[in-house]
Amino acid sequence: MGTGASRNPDSSSHGGEEREENLDQVGGGQLYVSLKMVNYKLKADLIPHVYGSAPLVGSWDSSKALSMERESASMWELSFVVPPNHETLDFKFLLKPKHNSTPCVVEEGPNRQLTRGTLQGDARSALFRLNGDEIFEYQVFIQADRVSPFDLAASWRAYHENLQPSIVRGIPDVTINSAPVTGAENGPSVSLELDLEHYVVPAPTASVNSSLMYAANMTETPRSLTHGGVFSNHEGSASSSQSYKDGGVLSDRPVAIKEVEVIEPDPSKVYSGSGMVESKSVGTFSPFQKQDSHRGLFVDRGVGSPRLVKSASATMFSTDLKLDSEAKNAMPAAAGAVAAAAVADQMLGPKEDRHLAIVLVGLPARGKTFTAAKLTRYLRWLGHDTKHFNVGKYRRLKHGANQVADFFRGDNPEGKEARNEVAALAMDDMIAWMQEGGQVGIFDATNSTRERRNMLMKMAEGKCKIIFLETICNDERIIERNIRLKIQQSPDYAEEPDFEAGYRDFKMRLDNYEKVYEPVQEGSYIKMIDMVSGQGGQIQVNNISGYLPGRIVFFLVNTHLTPRPILLTRHGESRDNVRGRIGGDSGVSDTGEIYAKKLANFVEKRLKNERAASIWTSTLQRTIMTAGSIVGFPKIQWRALDEINAGVCDGMTYEEIKKNMPEESRKKDKLRYRYPRGESYLDVIQRLEPVIIELERQRAPVVVISHQAVLRALYAYFADRPLKEIPHIEMPLHTIIEIQMGVTGVQEKRYKLMD
């Protein structure tokens, strides 16, 4: 257990030892402990946990066991810091079912003990006895390092600045409660006494994106190569390199080149001095005033579609999205409402046009997989059957995860054949899924040569329509950040202990791709040029037509990967909540007023350094009153954030509905059930799409104060929950759900301010 990290190699032996011995005395020499469990035949429904003595858990209560995080397909990991006043750490591993907390299976054998970073006894595997005589075994790796307080502080800063695991001294993750802030701030001093960590509650385990996870691991499981989760040498799909008939999409027949134009309203007009501005593509913006001096910008989103206008004069277009400071801060400024979109989305015409394949193109470390994951989540949320197929996942299953850079050389015939083979397997799987009823497939790979893209187009001929989505990034800082993320998170480097060795290998791999890279110039395509930073960029679109491709372009124009938090919370308890009545426009109760004050303190504490943040509410009194105590941030009222319209049932209790309207049964299909003269959850989703687009556009934090049904729908988008689950998602009162959006995906943290 190395302590060299605390030594000064240039000092004398005596001086170095003295510095190490003084670490504990100088406020902070601590042990950083990393626990890893590996099993290549995982039981998907059993999640490894750790429980034990203080300071790890503080009791031997299995219900308080800490869940380990999945680091790769076969590895689980948990890291923590042991304070210096705890010399001995007792713990054991246990397995918990994925969807409930019992029964737990505790590992066989005595407790494991770490004394001052040294493992007592022999290292051993973790054995679990399942169903009588069945034994399930994990390899266990335990590492402990002495860490100085300076290294911990640096790691904590890097974690918060980058929203990603730090690589300071190789420490992958450190969690430290921040010290209370003292001194004057922009707000009442009482707000600074709030200890945010005191209110943290566990997030639901069903939220698969609630922790750091490599995005490619969440893609479609290759059925050509797996059966029941176990690797198979089956080569049934390897024959996909079959000969194709002539006259495919690359034949000599002319290709119709169509053009679209992306039009965004002028953001500078949103806050004009006249007090009322009309925009045909946005709706109307007007000052809106409620009783009790609750003021805000009122947003009434009209029904329409993205302004994708064909031009008869040109064959192609490109639009620069250079953002000045005024455009960056204008909220909201973009267009788009598609309340009737589902009706319009009937993909008619040739058979292949009924299925859409979005084929990613781009060099490694350009954000392809993260873009693909965001687009998949968006289309699923809108109700389109969408799946993400990652060719790297196929390659790792077929040829292993430890391929060196030479495997990716353009002049390596064996490597090229192997890479084309797995690409064909993934394409076969995607087409087969489409023929079974799937609508949109996201095909995620570099696809960096015309030869590879021609192969894919021939395979898709007559089966699906291909649109190439090319991501181009010229910002060296972003590329460098993405490379380091790749080495930290990708299973390709999970077994490489030396970060610098992995870094050099990936740079060589990148050089190999750059030598043969050919930008897209054929077929239908969308080019995203320097869009990943969210600081402007360019979108080029060629030969794009149809409703759904237009929606995809509109989404990509408005999305970026700038890290920022989004806070979701219901209004404080209303008077109708107390009476058990649905809908209505009542104010908050006494309890709701208390929550409004607690929420204000929380927001001022959490966003004290985020002066560009904004508060979004519905147009109903209970959300506006809940936001009333928050000062220092602009407030925007959205009609789209109003609670689900209960129609003729508005103001009734559920008992009254059951008595007066016995024929109405919402439980049978709560997702599609529409209140008489009211709305269904699907209706709510449709009217929330402009809110989602605006949330994707924002570069500063947003606090959304809304209602149960609306927040269920918004949360489902970020957590990538299936539509059928939306009406049943838990959305308790007086709880804040913090969604962290960044380059590592979407993470979640919950704060319960009141019972």
Side-chain angles (χ1 to χ4, degrees):
M1 302 300 166
T3 56
S6 300
R7 296 177 182 268
N8 183 351
D10 297 327
S11 63
S12 66
S13 173
H14 174 77
E17 291 173 357
E18 181 180 4
R19 182 172 184 266
E20 180 182 343
E21 290 173 357
N22 288 337
L23 271 177
D24 288 340
Q25 300 173 10
V26 186
Q30 297 182 325
L31 286 175
Y32 174 82
V33 181
S34 174
L35 307 177
K36 295 187 178 182
M37 296 178 69
V38 180
N39 189 297
Y40 295 97
K41 296 181 180 179
L42 295 173
K43 287 187 175 293
D45 58 334
L46 293 177
I47 308 299
H49 285 64
V50 180
Y51 77 137
S53 64
L56 182 59
V57 174
S59 72
W60 287 93
D61 184 353
S62 61
S63 66
K64 299 179 181 179
L66 301 180
S67 174
M68 301 184 73
E69 301 292 341
R70 187 185 290 276
E71 183 172 291
S72 66
S74 56
M75 181 178 294
W76 298 80
E77 192 266 354
L78 177 67
S79 301
F80 51 91
V81 174
V82 182
N85 57 335
H86 290 275
E87 293 190 356
T88 301
L89 178 70
D90 276 6
F91 66 97
K92 296 189 80 169
F93 296 103
L94 59 83
L95 301 179
K96 279 189 179 183
K98 185 174 182 179
H99 299 295
N100 54 62
S101 59
T102 56
C104 299
V105 183
V106 182
E107 70 164 320
E108 303 276 311
N111 298 345
R112 299 174 186 268
Q113 288 191 342
L114 273 174
T115 302
R116 297 188 66 82
T118 302
L119 182 66
Q120 304 302 305
D122 296 329
R124 67 180 192 274
S125 298
L127 301 178
F128 301 88
R129 189 175 300 276
L130 308 177
N131 301 327
D133 296 329
E134 183 182 2
I135 300 294
F136 201 48
E137 181 178 359
Y138 282 83
Q139 291 179 273
V140 174
F141 301 92
I142 301 174
Q143 182 176 358
D145 254 329
R146 183 72 64 86
V147 182
S148 78
F150 310 105
D151 291 326
L152 285 176
S155 186
W156 178 244
R157 284 196 303 272
Y159 177 82
H160 273 279
E161 290 171 1
N162 304 318
L163 294 178
Q164 62 190 32
S166 167
I167 56 168
V168 177
R169 292 190 63 258
I171 299 174
D173 189 8
V174 176
T175 300
I176 311 171
N177 290 337
S178 56
V181 179
T182 59
E185 293 286 343
N186 298 328
S189 60
V190 65
S191 66
L192 303 179
E193 299 173 359
L194 183 66
D195 180 7
L196 304 188
E197 297 300 318
H198 173 73
Y199 296 99
V200 174
V201 295
T205 56
S207 179
V208 296
N209 291 336
S210 61
S211 60
L212 290 175
M213 184 176 294
Y214 187 55
N217 286 345
M218 303 174 63
T219 61
E220 178 66 7
T221 300
R223 50 177 155 179
S224 301
L225 300 176
T226 58
H227 179 72
V230 180
F231 177 79
S232 169
N233 290 323
H234 175 59
E235 302 287 349
S237 298
S239 61
S240 54
S241 57
Q242 57 194 315
S243 61
Y244 300 101
K245 65 179 181 179
D246 294 330
V249 286
L250 297 180
S251 66
D252 293 333
R253 68 174 182 263
V255 178
I257 303 296
K258 303 176 182 177
E259 182 202 11
V260 297
E261 181 182 1
V262 178
I263 298 179
E264 289 192 280
D266 184 356
S268 64
K269 296 181 180 179
V270 175
Y271 296 110
S272 72
S274 64
M276 168 88 68
V277 176
E278 182 177 358
S279 170
K280 293 180 180 179
S281 60
V282 179
T284 58
F285 294 78
S286 65
F288 184 80
Q289 184 172 355
K290 282 276 186 178
Q291 296 177 354
D292 302 324
S293 300
H294 296 297
R295 295 177 180 269
L297 177 68
F298 173 54
V299 182
D300 185 3
R301 295 299 193 180
V303 176
S305 61
R307 297 296 301 274
L308 300 173
V309 182
K310 296 181 182 178
S311 168
S313 60
T315 59
M316 174 179 165
F317 92 100
S318 68
T319 177
D320 289 317
L321 301 176
K322 295 178 180 178
L323 304 173
D324 56 25
S325 59
E326 185 177 9
K328 289 179 185 178
N329 296 326
M331 297 178 298
V338 285
V343 177
D345 186 23
Q346 299 296 324
M347 301 181 71
L348 304 176
K351 180 180 179 180
E352 60 266 28
D353 286 349
R354 301 174 193 172
H355 306 290
L356 186 60
I358 306 298
V359 177
L360 274 293
V361 178
L363 292 168
R366 264 57 175 185
K368 294 187 303 298
T369 296
F370 294 124
T371 300
K374 286 171 73 82
L375 184 57
T376 300
R377 179 160 47 90
Y378 170 71
L379 293 175
R380 282 176 178 166
W381 185 78
L382 285 180
H384 304 289
D385 193 0
T386 306
K387 282 191 177 180
H388 182 184
F389 295 80
N390 180 268
V391 175
K393 194 171 184 178
Y394 281 74
R395 169 179 54 78
R396 285 184 282 273
L397 274 174
K398 182 72 175 178
H399 300 289
N402 299 318
Q403 299 295 337
V404 296
D406 284 348
F407 180 81
F408 302 92
R409 288 201 339 260
D411 58 354
N412 179 354
E414 292 82 7
K416 182 178 179 180
E417 181 181 359
R419 287 182 279 122
N420 283 337
E421 178 191 23
V422 292
L425 289 173
M427 193 68 174
D428 273 346
D429 275 1
M430 188 171 74
I431 291 173
W433 167 75
M434 288 179 174
Q435 292 173 343
E436 294 168 2
Q439 186 181 3
V440 184
I442 312 290
F443 189 85
D444 182 7
T446 55
N447 300 314
S448 54
T449 64
R450 281 191 291 270
E451 180 184 6
R452 162 71 71 82
R453 298 192 291 269
N454 290 345
M455 180 191 82
L456 298 177
M457 285 194 289
K458 287 184 178 180
M459 293 181 69
E461 182 184 1
K463 299 170 184 174
C464 64
K465 178 180 179 179
I466 282 186
I467 295 177
F468 293 112
L469 174 56
E470 185 176 15
T471 60
I472 300 171
C473 180
N474 299 307
D475 190 325
E476 293 297 331
R477 295 173 302 169
I478 293 176
I479 295 172
E480 179 70 14
R481 179 195 68 187
N482 290 348
I483 290 173
R484 292 183 174 275
L485 275 174
K486 190 91 170 178
I487 297 167
Q488 289 175 4
Q489 296 181 354
S490 173
D492 286 349
Y493 296 98
E495 298 181 11
E496 173 55 73
D498 186 347
F499 177 88
E500 293 302 326
Y503 179 86
R504 290 191 298 271
D505 180 83
F506 190 85
K507 291 284 284 186
M508 292 174 60
R509 182 194 301 191
L510 184 55
D511 290 340
N512 291 332
Y513 274 109
E514 288 176 337
K515 291 175 183 176
V516 298
Y517 185 77
E518 297 172 300
V520 176
Q521 294 178 334
E522 67 274 11
S524 301
Y525 63 76
I526 304 166
K527 287 178 183 272
M528 300 177 63
I529 304 173
D530 293 328
M531 291 285 290
V532 69
S533 68
Q535 301 301 317
Q538 189 180 86
I539 288 275
Q540 293 181 2
V541 178
N542 184 65
N543 195 22
I544 299 294
S545 62
Y547 166 77
L548 190 54
R551 293 309 307 158
I552 291 171
V553 172
F554 181 65
F555 176 76
L556 295 175
V557 165
N558 287 286
T559 191
H560 58 89
L561 296 176
T562 305
R564 75 280 191 198
I566 293 173
L567 278 60
L568 308 178
T569 182
R570 288 175 67 184
H571 54 80
E573 180 189 67
S574 70
R575 291 194 289 271
D576 276 345
N577 287 147
V578 176
R579 294 190 289 260
R581 299 191 178 279
I582 65 174
D585 192 16
S586 68
V588 296
S589 66
D590 292 342
T591 301
E593 290 180 359
I594 296 174
Y595 177 68
K597 294 176 182 178
K598 284 181 172 286
L599 176 63
N601 286 344
F602 179 93
V603 170
E604 290 166 16
K605 174 75 172 181
R606 176 65 183 85
L607 304 180
K608 62 180 181 294
N609 297 320
E610 301 282 358
R611 293 295 99 183
S614 57
I615 314 298
W616 295 4
T617 72
S618 73
T619 65
L620 301 176
Q621 288 190 72
R622 51 193 184 273
T623 63
I624 297 171
M625 293 174 68
T626 302
S629 298
I630 303 174
V631 296
F633 301 99
K635 297 173 186 175
I636 301 174
Q637 297 165 12
W638 287 73
R639 190 181 297 280
L641 290 175
D642 286 1
E643 179 60 298
I644 187 171
N645 186 347
V648 299
C649 300
D650 190 73
M652 293 185 181
T653 66
Y654 286 112
E655 291 73 16
E656 290 171 345
I657 295 174
K658 185 176 181 180
K659 178 181 178 181
N660 300 326
M661 308 170 66
E663 71 282 359
E664 294 293 328
S665 179
R666 195 168 179 238
K667 293 182 179 180
K668 291 181 180 179
D669 190 351
K670 198 173 179 181
L671 177 68
R672 292 173 177 81
Y673 173 85
R674 180 178 285 118
Y675 282 107
R677 302 182 186 176
E679 289 182 304
S680 69
Y681 269 93
L682 288 180
D683 297 327
V684 172
I685 291 169
Q686 291 296 328
R687 68 166 153 95
L688 280 175
E689 196 206 11
V691 178
I692 289 295
I693 294 296
E694 289 296 339
L695 287 173
E696 287 287 357
R697 289 183 69 252
Q698 298 306 308
R699 291 161 183 81
V702 178
V703 180
V704 180
I705 305 174
S706 188
H707 310 267
Q708 181 169 248
V710 170
L711 292 176
R712 281 171 169 167
L714 290 178
Y715 174 80
Y717 168 77
F718 293 112
D720 197 13
R721 298 280 285 272
L723 289 179
K724 63 182 180 181
E725 293 184 10
I726 290 179
H728 311 289
I729 293 174
E730 182 183 2
M731 196 60 57
L733 282 170
H734 307 153
T735 300
I736 299 166
I737 301 175
E738 180 176 321
I739 304 292
Q740 283 283 358
M741 299 176 63
V743 294
T744 55
V746 177
Q747 303 168 65
E748 173 186 346
K749 196 171 187 178
R750 294 196 174 203
Y751 303 88
K752 189 172 183 63
L753 301 190
M754 293 173 57
D755 293 328

